[in-house]
Amino acid sequence: MRVYMMNINPDPMLTGKVKHFFKDGLNHLGKPTHDFVPDINIGGLGVAPWHNQIKFNEKTKELMLTPNQDPNVNKTYLNGELVLGNQPLKHGDWVLFGNNQLYIICVPPNEIDKSLLDYEDAMW
């Protein structure tokens, strides 16, 4: 099974409908532009092209999140805390890109606790 991040939506019927699988190595995240297509397309308010990157080591299943731009302007939050530098990611972590693009990190074979999939809880 591959490691991925899954969306959490304000509408529970839409939660889990978007899954982005990580490739081994660097995964660039952000909005596509006419001259840049990120590995993982994250749209929405407050998300910039080259918003950040996640380095994935397939052998160890380790993930490292790195902001690519000014983190005070192009914001990413990890479990409610603003990411200002490199941050390891683990199973069950909430990652908020920009103003409202919320995802949860999934590292199989671990199961996701259904209580972690509530958008309102995660945003507080």
Side-chain angles (χ1 to χ4, degrees):
M1 298 283 298
R2 294 173 53 200
V3 175
Y4 62 97
M5 63 182 190
M6 179 177 72
N7 77 309
I8 301 177
N9 194 281
D11 180 345
M13 295 299 291
L14 298 177
T15 292
K17 300 298 182 195
V18 177
K19 294 179 181 174
H20 295 290
F21 292 87
F22 297 107
K23 66 178 182 177
D24 192 35
L26 289 180
N27 295 266
H28 296 282
L29 292 84
K31 280 186 186 176
T33 65
H34 66 280
D35 61 347
F36 171 68
V37 178
D39 299 307
I40 297 176
N41 181 352
I42 305 290
L45 293 172
V47 178
W50 289 89
H51 194 82
N52 55 32
Q53 63 187 13
I54 295 177
K55 185 175 183 180
F56 174 55
N57 183 321
E58 193 167 356
K59 289 181 183 176
T60 64
K61 306 296 184 227
E62 292 175 84
L63 296 158
M64 182 65 67
L65 173 68
T66 302
N68 283 337
Q69 313 225 357
D70 182 350
N72 291 302
V73 175
N74 300 308
K75 297 180 180 182
T76 300
Y77 292 86
L78 174 59
N79 300 321
E81 300 291 325
L82 182 63
V83 175
L84 298 172
N86 291 348
Q87 288 289 322
L89 301 174
K90 64 184 183 323
H91 180 76
D93 279 345
W94 285 320
V95 184
L96 177 68
F97 302 100
N99 298 345
N100 60 1
Q101 297 299 311
L102 183 61
Y103 289 83
I104 190 165
I105 301 298
C106 303
V107 181
N110 301 310
E111 297 283 323
I112 290 292
D113 182 340
K114 301 294 183 208
S115 69
L116 295 175
L117 299 179
D118 186 280
Y119 187 87
E120 295 293 324
D121 286 348
M123 293 299 281
W124 291 103

